[in-house]
Amino acid sequence: DILDCGNVSSTPHAETVKAMKACLEAARTHGQMDCDWHIDETNDPECRGMRAAAEAIGHARKVGYTGRVVLGHCCALALVDDASDVIKELAKLSDIFIVSNPTTNLGLQDRRGTGPPFGLAIDTCTPRTPAWRGMTLLQELRDAGIPVAAASDNVRDHWHPYGDYDMLTVWGLAQAICHLDTANSEGEWADLVSVVPAKAMGLDHYTLIGSDADLVLFPSARRASELFARPQIDRIVLRRGIPQVSILPQFSVLDDLVLLKNKKPTPGRPVQRGAATQKFAS
């Protein structure tokens, strides 16, 4: 019940901060546990969980909490009018990491608009193209010195019916969606799916020089445009310098996990989130 603070857009700020402080204090007293919060995963600009988190984490650091804090999604930060102030407060904190989820955030956000009421079901027959991309402010956060990463939160499930956890795809999507190609070099954002996630996971030994040769090589790609242009099925995975040989499972092996048996979609049925694209068994 520690984080049972309701909808952050309607819960009083002080109540939200109190709940977050309680979570961090529990983490501190149980051996400096790390925290992983899915936060502001909404297109409601009144949702200010990030502001509350900055305040709560700042307090926790003052009373001795040293664990890492991962803030995932953070979508609404891109819609609030005080985003720059929130980012300044976050930048004062140590060992926090922002993780965006390009596939999930792009697929779920703005399914029902950026104006109230929020969270309503939509008719599957209603034509509506989303007006925003659902991603957090990756460039602004990183420019403030805050470590940012990208991940794949959902794969072939209720919230995102596609994908396969390929981090190259995740990087490519973030590159396009967030206009990361404006960087000085094509590889400047490679740490989005490598070094930063490793640090967020506590893999502090992860360096490019002097570590075990746990690498993924893309021998046919000479530049970023070629890297993102194809699935790179000729990639070479090294573990301690040894090439790995593996075969992807047949899709049929996963049928019991992804098919909703004995159910059929009802035309015109109101559907929550991404379920409209879920595959049904006959």
Side-chain angles (χ1 to χ4, degrees):
D1 295 332
I2 289 177
L3 281 183
D4 186 17
C5 56
N7 186 336
V8 178
S9 65
S10 57
T11 303
H13 174 77
E15 184 178 332
T16 302
V17 173
K18 180 181 178 181
M20 291 179 171
K21 284 181 178 179
C23 179
L24 294 166
E25 177 61 15
R28 185 186 70 83
T29 58
H30 286 80
Q32 298 289 2
M33 298 174 65
D34 298 329
C35 287
D36 176 14
W37 292 352
H38 292 216
I39 187 169
D40 286 357
E41 188 186 0
T42 176
N43 49 283
D44 184 350
E46 295 302 316
C47 196
R48 305 298 179 93
M50 293 287 283
R51 183 163 60 95
E55 183 176 337
I57 297 169
H59 169 81
R61 293 293 187 232
K62 291 178 181 178
V63 298
Y65 175 60
T66 59
R68 291 178 295 272
V69 180
V70 173
L71 303 176
H73 299 290
C74 312
C75 307
L77 183 65
L79 300 175
V80 301
D81 54 13
D82 62 344
S84 60
D85 294 332
V86 174
I87 291 174
K88 288 178 182 177
E89 292 304 310
L90 290 170
K92 298 176 183 178
L93 306 173
S94 60
D95 285 326
I96 66 165
F97 302 86
I98 307 297
V99 180
S100 66
N101 298 271
T103 54
T104 304
N105 298 155
L106 184 66
L108 293 184
Q109 298 306 307
D110 198 17
R111 283 188 174 267
R112 292 169 290 279
T114 54
F118 301 96
L120 298 180
I122 57 172
D123 193 305
T124 57
C125 298
T126 300
R128 184 185 179 281
T129 301
W132 82 295
R133 307 179 188 207
M135 295 286 285
T136 193
L137 302 177
L138 284 182
Q139 295 203 41
E140 292 83 348
L141 287 160
R142 177 165 159 168
D143 185 62
I146 302 169
V148 295
S152 187
D153 188 30
N154 302 99
V155 169
R156 299 190 70 204
D157 62 9
H158 179 73
W159 294 278
H160 180 66
Y162 315 115
D164 64 357
Y165 293 113
D166 181 12
M167 294 303 287
L168 177 61
T169 300
V170 171
W171 178 19
L173 282 172
Q175 190 89 351
I177 298 168
C178 297
H179 294 177
L180 305 185
D181 56 350
T182 58
N184 294 325
S185 68
E186 292 180 321
E188 188 167 318
W189 283 89
D191 62 353
L192 196 70
V193 295
S194 56
V195 176
V196 175
K199 290 181 178 179
M201 295 166 60
L203 303 177
D204 298 325
H205 64 280
Y206 185 97
T207 58
L208 296 180
I209 300 175
S211 298
D212 293 332
D214 296 336
L215 307 170
V216 182
L217 306 178
F218 304 97
S220 62
R222 299 169 298 174
R223 53 185 64 91
S225 63
E226 296 175 354
L227 181 65
F228 297 131
R230 295 175 180 172
Q232 305 299 330
I233 59 175
D234 63 342
R235 70 183 68 183
I236 300 172
V237 179
L238 300 181
R239 291 289 291 171
R240 295 182 179 273
I242 301 174
Q244 304 297 295
V245 178
S246 60
I247 300 175
L248 292 175
Q250 295 293 319
F251 283 120
S252 59
V253 176
L254 307 174
D255 281 350
D256 63 321
L257 300 177
V258 298
L259 295 182
L260 301 180
K261 299 183 182 299
N262 302 319
K263 288 188 177 182
K264 290 182 179 295
T266 303
R269 177 190 63 173
V271 177
Q272 291 278 337
R273 311 189 84 172
T277 53
Q278 181 73 28
K279 188 176 181 180
F280 289 80
S282 58

